[in-house]
Amino acid sequence: MAEKRGTWRTLIMVISLGILIAVELFGVALASGWALAGLFELGHVVGYVLMALFSGFAAYGMLVFMRRVIKVEHIGERF
């Protein structure tokens, strides 16, 4: 029973960590696109393109990060 409880606690921790880091990454991506477009007066369309580009990088970084966390925590083997 203790093994099951530890597994669920680990899963909840990994999910919470993923949500926290995803919010931070996407917040930085959107703010960076907005700030660069405003700083260089590139306009709204270029700002949205930069936000989308940086969000793509953030999504890729999040995917790589979560794959590594799942591999280290052995989540796939337990469930």
Side-chain angles (χ1 to χ4, degrees):
M1 183 69 179
E3 179 66 29
K4 271 269 202 227
R5 184 173 180 202
T7 302
W8 282 108
R9 290 180 74 177
T10 302
L11 181 64
I12 291 171
M13 186 261 319
V14 166
I15 291 171
S16 300
L17 178 71
I19 291 170
L20 174 70
I21 295 192
V23 168
E24 291 177 2
L25 280 176
F26 285 105
V28 167
L30 295 174
S32 299
W34 171 77
L36 286 174
L39 181 66
F40 296 115
E41 298 178 5
L42 300 174
H44 293 293
V45 175
V46 175
Y48 294 137
V49 169
L50 286 174
M51 287 181 209
L53 179 69
F54 293 154
S55 293
F57 288 137
Y60 177 72
M62 192 65 208
L63 178 70
V64 169
F65 175 75
M66 287 308 291
R67 282 184 180 172
R68 288 182 183 174
V69 168
I70 289 171
K71 185 177 178 181
V72 167
E73 292 293 334
H74 305 291
I75 299 290
E77 297 171 6
R78 296 179 188 171
F79 287 98

